[in-house]
Coordinates of all heavy atoms in Angstrom, one line a residue:
M1 N 0.8 -1.2 0.0 CA 0.0 0.0 0.0 C 0.9 1.2 0.0 O 1.8 1.4 0.8 CB -0.9 0.0 1.2 CG -1.9 1.0 1.3 SD -3.2 0.6 0.1 CE -4.2 2.0 0.1
S2 N 0.6 2.2 -0.9 CA 1.4 3.4 -0.9 C 1.0 4.3 0.2 O -0.1 4.3 0.6 CB 1.3 4.0 -2.3 OG -0.1 4.5 -2.5
A3 N 1.9 5.2 0.5 CA 1.6 6.2 1.6 C 0.9 7.4 0.9 O 1.5 8.3 0.5 CB 2.9 6.6 2.2
H4 N -0.4 7.2 0.7 CA -1.2 8.2 -0.1 C -2.5 8.4 0.6 O -3.2 7.4 0.9 CB -1.4 7.7 -1.5 CG -2.1 8.6 -2.4 ND1 -1.5 9.7 -3.0 CD2 -3.4 8.6 -2.8 CE1 -2.4 10.3 -3.7 NE2 -3.5 9.7 -3.6
C5 N -2.9 9.6 0.9 CA -4.2 10.0 1.5 C -5.2 10.1 0.5 O -5.1 10.8 -0.5 CB -4.0 11.3 2.3 SG -5.6 11.8 3.1
R6 N -6.4 9.5 0.7 CA -7.4 9.5 -0.3 C -8.2 10.8 -0.3 O -8.9 11.1 -1.3 CB -8.4 8.3 -0.1 CG -7.6 7.0 -0.4 CD -8.5 5.8 -0.1 NE -9.6 5.7 -1.1 CZ -10.5 4.8 -1.0 NH1 -10.5 3.9 0.0 NH2 -11.5 4.8 -1.9
L7 N -8.2 11.5 0.8 CA -9.0 12.7 0.9 C -8.2 14.0 0.5 O -8.6 14.7 -0.3 CB -9.5 12.9 2.3 CG -10.3 14.2 2.6 CD1 -11.6 14.2 1.8 CD2 -10.7 14.3 4.1
T8 N -7.0 14.1 1.0 CA -6.2 15.3 0.8 C -5.2 15.1 -0.4 O -4.6 16.1 -0.9 CB -5.4 15.7 2.0 OG1 -4.5 14.7 2.4 CG2 -6.4 16.1 3.2
G9 N -4.9 13.8 -0.7 CA -3.9 13.6 -1.8 C -2.5 13.7 -1.3 O -1.6 13.7 -2.1
A10 N -2.3 13.7 0.0 CA -0.9 13.8 0.6 C -0.2 12.5 0.2 O -0.7 11.4 0.3 CB -1.0 14.0 2.1
Q11 N 1.1 12.7 -0.3 CA 1.9 11.6 -0.7 C 3.3 11.9 -0.2 O 3.6 13.0 0.2 CB 1.8 11.3 -2.1 CG 1.9 12.5 -3.1 CD 1.5 12.1 -4.5 OE1 1.5 10.9 -4.8 NE2 1.2 13.1 -5.3
P12 N 4.2 10.9 -0.3 CA 5.6 11.1 0.2 C 6.3 12.3 -0.5 O 6.1 12.5 -1.7 CB 6.3 9.8 -0.1 CG 5.2 8.8 -0.2 CD 4.1 9.6 -0.8
G13 N 7.1 13.0 0.3 CA 8.0 14.0 -0.2 C 9.4 13.4 -0.2 O 9.7 12.5 0.6
F14 N 10.3 13.9 -1.1 CA 11.6 13.3 -1.1 C 12.6 14.4 -0.9 O 12.4 15.6 -1.2 CB 11.9 12.7 -2.5 CG 11.0 11.5 -2.8 CD1 9.7 11.6 -3.3 CD2 11.4 10.2 -2.4 CE1 8.9 10.5 -3.5 CE2 10.6 9.1 -2.6 CZ 9.3 9.3 -3.2
G15 N 13.7 14.0 -0.3 CA 14.8 14.9 0.0 C 16.1 14.2 0.4 O 16.3 13.0 0.0
N16 N 16.9 14.9 1.1 CA 18.2 14.3 1.5 C 18.3 14.3 3.0 O 17.9 15.3 3.7 CB 19.4 15.1 0.9 CG 19.4 14.9 -0.6 OD1 19.4 13.8 -1.1 ND2 19.5 16.0 -1.3
S17 N 19.0 13.3 3.5 CA 19.5 13.3 4.9 C 20.9 13.9 4.8 O 21.7 13.4 4.0 CB 19.5 11.9 5.5 OG 18.2 11.4 5.8
I18 N 21.2 14.8 5.7 CA 22.5 15.4 5.6 C 23.2 15.1 6.9 O 22.8 15.5 8.0 CB 22.4 17.0 5.4 CG1 21.6 17.2 4.1 CG2 23.8 17.6 5.3 CD1 21.4 18.7 3.8
S19 N 24.4 14.4 6.8 CA 25.1 14.0 8.0 C 25.9 15.2 8.6 O 25.9 16.3 8.0 CB 26.0 12.9 7.7 OG 27.1 13.4 6.9
H20 N 26.6 15.0 9.7 CA 27.4 16.0 10.3 C 28.5 16.5 9.3 O 28.9 17.6 9.3 CB 28.0 15.5 11.6 CG 28.9 16.5 12.3 ND1 28.4 17.6 12.9 CD2 30.2 16.5 12.5 CE1 29.4 18.3 13.4 NE2 30.5 17.6 13.2
S21 N 29.0 15.5 8.5 CA 30.1 15.9 7.5 C 29.5 16.4 6.2 O 30.2 16.6 5.3 CB 30.9 14.7 7.3 OG 30.2 13.7 6.7
H22 N 28.2 16.6 6.2 CA 27.4 17.1 5.0 C 27.4 16.1 3.8 O 27.2 16.6 2.7 CB 27.9 18.5 4.6 CG 27.5 19.6 5.5 ND1 26.3 20.2 5.2 CD2 27.9 20.0 6.6 CE1 26.1 21.1 6.2 NE2 27.1 21.0 7.1
R23 N 27.5 14.8 4.1 CA 27.3 13.8 3.0 C 25.8 13.7 2.9 O 25.0 13.6 3.9 CB 27.9 12.5 3.4 CG 29.4 12.6 3.4 CD 30.0 11.2 3.5 NE 29.7 10.5 2.3 CZ 30.6 9.9 1.5 NH1 31.9 10.0 1.9 NH2 30.3 9.2 0.5
R24 N 25.3 13.6 1.7 CA 23.8 13.6 1.5 C 23.4 12.2 1.0 O 24.0 11.6 0.1 CB 23.5 14.6 0.4 CG 23.5 16.0 0.9 CD 23.6 17.0 -0.2 NE 23.3 18.4 0.2 CZ 24.3 19.1 0.8 NH1 25.5 18.7 0.9 NH2 24.0 20.3 1.2
T25 N 22.4 11.7 1.6 CA 21.8 10.4 1.2 C 20.3 10.6 1.0 O 19.7 11.4 1.8 CB 22.0 9.3 2.3 OG1 21.6 9.7 3.5 CG2 23.5 8.9 2.3
S26 N 19.7 9.9 0.1 CA 18.3 10.1 -0.3 C 17.4 9.6 0.9 O 17.7 8.6 1.5 CB 18.0 9.4 -1.5 OG 16.7 9.7 -2.0
R27 N 16.3 10.3 1.1 CA 15.4 9.8 2.1 C 14.0 10.2 1.6 O 13.8 11.0 0.7 CB 15.7 10.4 3.5 CG 15.6 11.9 3.5 CD 15.4 12.4 4.9 NE 14.1 12.0 5.4 CZ 13.6 12.3 6.6 NH1 14.4 13.0 7.5 NH2 12.4 11.9 7.0
R28 N 13.0 9.7 2.4 CA 11.6 9.9 2.1 C 10.9 10.5 3.3 O 11.1 10.0 4.4 CB 11.0 8.5 1.8 CG 10.2 8.4 0.6 CD 9.9 6.9 0.5 NE 8.5 6.6 0.8 CZ 7.7 5.9 0.0 NH1 8.2 5.5 -1.1 NH2 6.5 5.8 0.4
F29 N 10.0 11.5 3.1 CA 9.2 12.0 4.1 C 7.8 11.5 3.9 O 7.0 12.0 3.1 CB 9.2 13.6 4.1 CG 10.5 14.2 4.3 CD1 11.4 14.4 3.3 CD2 10.9 14.5 5.6 CE1 12.6 15.0 3.5 CE2 12.2 15.1 5.8 CZ 13.0 15.3 4.8
D30 N 7.4 10.5 4.7 CA 6.1 9.9 4.5 C 5.0 10.6 5.3 O 5.3 11.0 6.5 CB 6.1 8.4 4.9 CG 6.8 7.5 3.9 OD1 6.7 7.8 2.7 OD2 7.3 6.5 4.4
P31 N 3.8 10.8 4.8 CA 2.7 11.4 5.6 C 2.2 10.3 6.6 O 2.5 9.1 6.5 CB 1.6 11.7 4.6 CG 1.9 10.8 3.4 CD 3.4 10.5 3.4
N32 N 1.6 10.8 7.7 CA 1.1 9.9 8.7 C -0.2 9.3 8.3 O -1.3 9.8 8.6 CB 0.9 10.8 10.0 CG 0.6 9.9 11.2 OD1 0.6 8.7 11.1 ND2 0.2 10.6 12.3
I33 N -0.1 8.1 7.6 CA -1.2 7.5 7.0 C -1.8 6.5 8.0 O -1.1 5.7 8.6 CB -0.8 6.7 5.7 CG1 -0.3 7.7 4.7 CG2 -1.9 5.9 5.2 CD1 -1.4 8.7 4.2
Q34 N -3.1 6.5 8.2 CA -3.9 5.6 9.1 C -5.0 5.0 8.3 O -5.5 5.6 7.4 CB -4.5 6.4 10.3 CG -3.5 7.3 11.0 CD -2.5 6.5 11.8 OE1 -2.8 5.5 12.3 NE2 -1.3 7.0 11.9
H35 N -5.4 3.8 8.7 CA -6.6 3.2 8.2 C -7.7 3.4 9.2 O -7.6 3.0 10.3 CB -6.4 1.7 7.9 CG -5.3 1.4 6.9 ND1 -5.4 1.6 5.6 CD2 -4.0 1.0 7.1 CE1 -4.3 1.3 5.0 NE2 -3.4 0.9 5.9
K36 N -8.8 3.9 8.7 CA -9.9 4.2 9.6 C -11.3 3.8 9.0 O -11.5 4.0 7.8 CB -9.9 5.7 9.9 CG -10.9 6.2 10.9 CD -10.2 7.0 12.0 CE -11.1 7.7 12.9 NZ -11.6 6.9 14.0
R37 N -12.1 3.2 9.8 CA -13.4 2.8 9.4 C -14.5 3.8 9.9 O -14.4 4.3 11.0 CB -13.8 1.4 10.0 CG -13.1 0.3 9.3 CD -13.4 -1.0 9.9 NE -14.5 -1.1 10.8 CZ -15.3 -2.1 11.0 NH1 -15.1 -3.2 10.3 NH2 -16.3 -2.1 11.9
Y38 N -15.4 4.2 9.0 CA -16.5 5.1 9.3 C -17.8 4.5 8.9 O -17.9 3.7 7.9 CB -16.3 6.4 8.5 CG -15.2 7.3 9.0 CD1 -14.0 7.3 8.3 CD2 -15.3 8.1 10.1 CE1 -12.9 8.1 8.7 CE2 -14.3 8.9 10.5 CZ -13.1 8.9 9.8 OH -12.0 9.7 10.2
W39 N -18.8 4.8 9.6 CA -20.2 4.4 9.3 C -20.8 5.4 8.3 O -20.8 6.6 8.6 CB -21.0 4.2 10.5 CG -22.5 4.0 10.2 CD1 -23.5 4.8 10.3 CD2 -23.0 2.7 9.7 NE1 -24.7 4.2 10.0 CE2 -24.4 2.9 9.6 CE3 -22.5 1.5 9.4 CZ2 -25.3 1.9 9.1 CZ3 -23.3 0.5 8.9 CH2 -24.7 0.7 8.8
L40 N -21.2 4.9 7.2 CA -21.8 5.8 6.1 C -23.3 5.6 6.2 O -23.8 4.7 5.6 CB -21.2 5.5 4.8 CG -21.3 6.5 3.7 CD1 -20.7 7.8 4.1 CD2 -20.6 5.9 2.4
P41 N -24.0 6.5 6.9 CA -25.5 6.3 7.1 C -26.3 6.3 5.7 O -27.3 5.6 5.6 CB -25.9 7.4 7.9 CG -24.7 8.1 8.4 CD -23.6 7.7 7.5
S42 N -25.9 7.1 4.8 CA -26.7 7.2 3.5 C -26.6 5.9 2.8 O -27.6 5.6 2.0 CB -26.1 8.3 2.6 OG -24.8 8.0 2.2
E43 N -25.6 5.1 2.9 CA -25.5 3.8 2.2 C -25.7 2.6 3.1 O -25.7 1.5 2.7 CB -24.1 3.7 1.5 CG -24.0 4.8 0.4 CD -22.6 4.7 -0.3 OE1 -22.0 3.6 -0.2 OE2 -22.3 5.6 -1.0
G44 N -25.8 2.9 4.4 CA -26.1 1.8 5.4 C -24.9 0.8 5.5 O -25.1 -0.4 5.7
R45 N -23.7 1.3 5.4 CA -22.5 0.4 5.5 C -21.3 1.1 6.0 O -21.3 2.4 6.1 CB -22.2 -0.2 4.1 CG -21.7 0.9 3.1 CD -21.4 0.3 1.7 NE -20.9 1.3 0.8 CZ -19.7 1.4 0.4 NH1 -18.8 0.5 0.8 NH2 -19.3 2.4 -0.4
T46 N -20.3 0.4 6.4 CA -19.1 1.0 6.8 C -18.1 1.1 5.6 O -18.2 0.3 4.7 CB -18.4 0.2 7.9 OG1 -18.1 -1.1 7.5 CG2 -19.3 0.1 9.2
V47 N -17.3 2.1 5.7 CA -16.3 2.3 4.7 C -14.9 2.4 5.4 O -14.8 2.9 6.4 CB -16.5 3.6 3.8 CG1 -17.7 3.4 2.9 CG2 -16.6 4.8 4.6
R48 N -13.9 1.8 4.8 CA -12.5 1.8 5.3 C -11.7 2.7 4.4 O -11.5 2.4 3.2 CB -12.0 0.4 5.3 CG -10.6 0.3 6.0 CD -10.3 -1.2 6.2 NE -9.1 -1.3 7.0 CZ -7.9 -1.7 6.5 NH1 -7.8 -2.0 5.2 NH2 -6.8 -1.7 7.2
L49 N -11.2 3.8 5.0 CA -10.5 4.8 4.3 C -9.0 4.8 4.7 O -8.7 4.6 5.9 CB -11.1 6.2 4.5 CG -12.6 6.3 4.0 CD1 -13.1 7.7 4.4 CD2 -12.7 6.1 2.5
T50 N -8.2 5.1 3.8 CA -6.7 5.3 4.1 C -6.5 6.8 4.1 O -6.6 7.5 3.1 CB -5.9 4.7 3.0 OG1 -6.2 3.3 2.8 CG2 -4.4 4.8 3.3
L51 N -6.4 7.4 5.3 CA -6.3 8.8 5.5 C -5.1 9.3 6.3 O -4.5 8.5 7.1 CB -7.5 9.3 6.3 CG -8.9 9.0 5.7 CD1 -10.0 9.3 6.7 CD2 -9.1 9.8 4.4
S52 N -4.6 10.5 6.0 CA -3.6 11.1 6.8 C -4.2 11.6 8.1 O -5.4 11.7 8.2 CB -2.9 12.2 6.1 OG -3.8 13.2 5.9
A53 N -3.4 11.8 9.1 CA -3.9 12.3 10.4 C -4.6 13.6 10.2 O -5.6 13.9 10.9 CB -2.7 12.4 11.4
R54 N -4.1 14.5 9.3 CA -4.7 15.7 9.1 C -6.1 15.5 8.4 O -7.1 16.2 8.8 CB -3.8 16.6 8.2 CG -4.4 17.9 7.8 CD -3.4 18.7 6.9 NE -4.1 19.6 6.1 CZ -3.8 19.8 4.8 NH1 -2.8 19.2 4.3 NH2 -4.5 20.7 4.1
A55 N -6.2 14.6 7.6 CA -7.5 14.3 6.9 C -8.5 13.7 7.9 O -9.7 14.0 7.8 CB -7.3 13.3 5.8
I56 N -8.1 13.0 8.9 CA -9.0 12.5 9.9 C -9.6 13.6 10.7 O -10.8 13.6 11.0 CB -8.2 11.5 10.9 CG1 -7.9 10.2 10.1 CG2 -9.1 11.2 12.1 CD1 -7.0 9.2 10.9
R57 N -8.8 14.6 11.0 CA -9.4 15.8 11.6 C -10.3 16.6 10.7 O -11.3 17.1 11.2 CB -8.2 16.8 12.1 CG -7.4 16.2 13.2 CD -6.5 17.3 13.9 NE -5.6 17.9 12.9 CZ -4.4 17.5 12.7 NH1 -3.9 16.4 13.2 NH2 -3.6 18.1 11.8
T58 N -10.0 16.6 9.4 CA -10.9 17.2 8.5 C -12.3 16.5 8.4 O -13.3 17.1 8.4 CB -10.3 17.2 7.0 OG1 -9.1 17.9 7.1 CG2 -11.2 17.8 6.0
V59 N -12.3 15.1 8.4 CA -13.5 14.3 8.5 C -14.3 14.6 9.7 O -15.5 14.8 9.7 CB -13.2 12.8 8.3 CG1 -14.4 12.0 8.6 CG2 -12.6 12.5 7.0
D60 N -13.6 14.8 10.8 CA -14.3 15.1 12.1 C -15.0 16.5 12.0 O -16.0 16.7 12.6 CB -13.3 15.1 13.3 CG -12.8 13.7 13.6 OD1 -13.4 12.7 13.2 OD2 -11.8 13.6 14.3
S61 N -14.4 17.4 11.3 CA -15.0 18.7 11.2 C -16.1 18.9 10.1 O -17.1 19.5 10.4 CB -14.0 19.8 11.0 OG -13.4 19.7 9.8
I62 N -15.9 18.3 9.0 CA -16.9 18.4 7.9 C -17.9 17.3 7.8 O -18.9 17.4 7.2 CB -16.2 18.6 6.5 CG1 -15.5 17.3 6.1 CG2 -15.3 19.7 6.5 CD1 -15.0 17.3 4.6
G63 N -17.6 16.1 8.5 CA -18.5 15.0 8.4 C -18.1 14.0 7.4 O -17.5 14.3 6.4
I64 N -18.5 12.8 7.6 CA -18.1 11.7 6.7 C -18.8 11.8 5.3 O -18.2 11.5 4.3 CB -18.3 10.3 7.3 CG1 -17.8 9.1 6.4 CG2 -19.8 10.0 7.7 CD1 -16.3 9.2 6.2
E65 N -20.1 12.2 5.3 CA -20.8 12.4 4.0 C -20.1 13.4 3.1 O -19.9 13.1 1.9 CB -22.2 12.8 4.3 CG -23.1 11.8 5.1 CD -23.4 10.6 4.3 OE1 -23.3 10.5 3.1 OE2 -23.8 9.6 5.0
A66 N -19.7 14.5 3.6 CA -19.0 15.5 2.8 C -17.6 15.0 2.4 O -17.2 15.3 1.3 CB -18.9 16.8 3.6
A67 N -17.0 14.3 3.3 CA -15.6 13.8 3.0 C -15.7 12.7 1.8 O -14.9 12.8 0.9 CB -15.0 13.1 4.2
V68 N -16.7 11.9 1.9 CA -16.9 10.9 0.8 C -17.2 11.5 -0.5 O -16.7 11.2 -1.6 CB -17.9 9.8 1.2 CG1 -18.4 9.0 0.1 CG2 -17.4 8.9 2.3
A69 N -18.0 12.6 -0.4 CA -18.3 13.4 -1.6 C -17.1 14.0 -2.2 O -16.9 14.0 -3.5 CB -19.3 14.5 -1.3
R70 N -16.2 14.5 -1.4 CA -14.9 15.0 -1.9 C -14.0 14.0 -2.5 O -13.4 14.2 -3.5 CB -14.1 15.7 -0.8 CG -14.6 17.1 -0.4 CD -13.7 17.7 0.6 NE -14.3 18.9 1.2 CZ -13.7 19.7 2.1 NH1 -12.4 19.4 2.5 NH2 -14.3 20.7 2.6
I71 N -13.9 12.8 -1.9 CA -13.1 11.7 -2.4 C -13.7 11.3 -3.8 O -12.9 11.1 -4.7 CB -13.1 10.5 -1.5 CG1 -12.3 10.9 -0.2 CG2 -12.5 9.3 -2.1 CD1 -12.4 9.9 0.9
R72 N -15.0 11.2 -3.9 CA -15.6 10.8 -5.2 C -15.4 11.9 -6.2 O -15.2 11.6 -7.4 CB -17.1 10.5 -5.0 CG -17.3 9.2 -4.3 CD -18.7 8.8 -4.1 NE -18.8 7.5 -3.6 CZ -19.8 7.1 -2.7 NH1 -20.8 8.0 -2.4 NH2 -19.8 5.9 -2.3
A73 N -15.4 13.2 -5.8 CA -15.2 14.3 -6.8 C -13.7 14.2 -7.3 O -13.5 14.6 -8.5 CB -15.4 15.6 -6.1
R74 N -12.8 13.7 -6.5 CA -11.4 13.6 -7.0 C -11.2 12.4 -7.9 O -10.1 12.1 -8.4 CB -10.5 13.5 -5.8 CG -10.4 14.7 -4.9 CD -9.4 14.5 -3.8 NE -8.0 14.7 -4.4 CZ -7.0 13.9 -4.1 NH1 -7.1 12.8 -3.4 NH2 -5.8 14.1 -4.7
G75 N -12.3 11.6 -8.0 CA -12.2 10.4 -8.9 C -11.9 9.1 -8.1 O -11.6 8.1 -8.7
G76 N -11.9 9.2 -6.8 CA -11.7 8.0 -5.9 C -12.9 7.1 -5.8 O -14.0 7.6 -5.9
K77 N -12.7 5.9 -5.6 CA -13.7 4.9 -5.4 C -13.9 4.6 -3.9 O -12.9 4.4 -3.2 CB -13.4 3.6 -6.1 CG -14.5 2.6 -6.0 CD -14.1 1.4 -6.8 CE -15.1 0.2 -6.5 NZ -14.4 -1.0 -6.6
V78 N -15.1 4.7 -3.4 CA -15.4 4.4 -1.9 C -16.3 3.2 -1.8 O -17.3 3.1 -2.6 CB -16.0 5.7 -1.3 CG1 -16.3 5.4 0.2 CG2 -15.1 6.8 -1.4

């Protein structure tokens, strides 16, 4: 599973680790991805979403129905 948020689209960033001697090695900055289940009342079922921690707070504020509508507007399947 890739480190990709289905609501916000957050994905890994890439950069360098720089040592004390300033040697650079490649590294990855992964978003804080969590798997979370929500009850979707309009469809009478639960949905399991792969979300970043920031997106979980977004779902808490806008509601699961609006969040699912945003995911579907981005072309995602729920």
Side-chain angles (χ1 to χ4, degrees):
M1 189 72 188
S2 65
H4 182 80
C5 177
R6 294 177 67 187
L7 180 60
T8 63
Q11 43 191 344
F14 295 90
N16 291 310
S17 291
I18 303 178
S19 70
H20 180 68
S21 64
H22 283 268
R23 293 189 68 122
R24 287 162 168 81
T25 53
S26 187
R27 64 158 294 179
R28 228 172 108 126
F29 296 91
D30 286 328
N32 185 6
I33 298 294
Q34 310 289 327
H35 298 287
K36 188 125 167 85
R37 284 179 12 150
Y38 290 99
W39 173 252
L40 197 57
S42 64
E43 298 181 14
R45 67 184 181 107
T46 60
V47 291
R48 187 168 184 253
L49 299 175
T50 305
L51 300 172
S52 63
R54 180 176 152 220
I56 291 172
R57 291 195 302 270
T58 302
V59 170
D60 290 343
S61 68
I62 67 172
I64 186 60
E65 297 289 344
V68 167
R70 282 189 193 180
I71 292 170
R72 287 181 173 147
R74 294 182 78 227
K77 184 180 168 211
V78 178

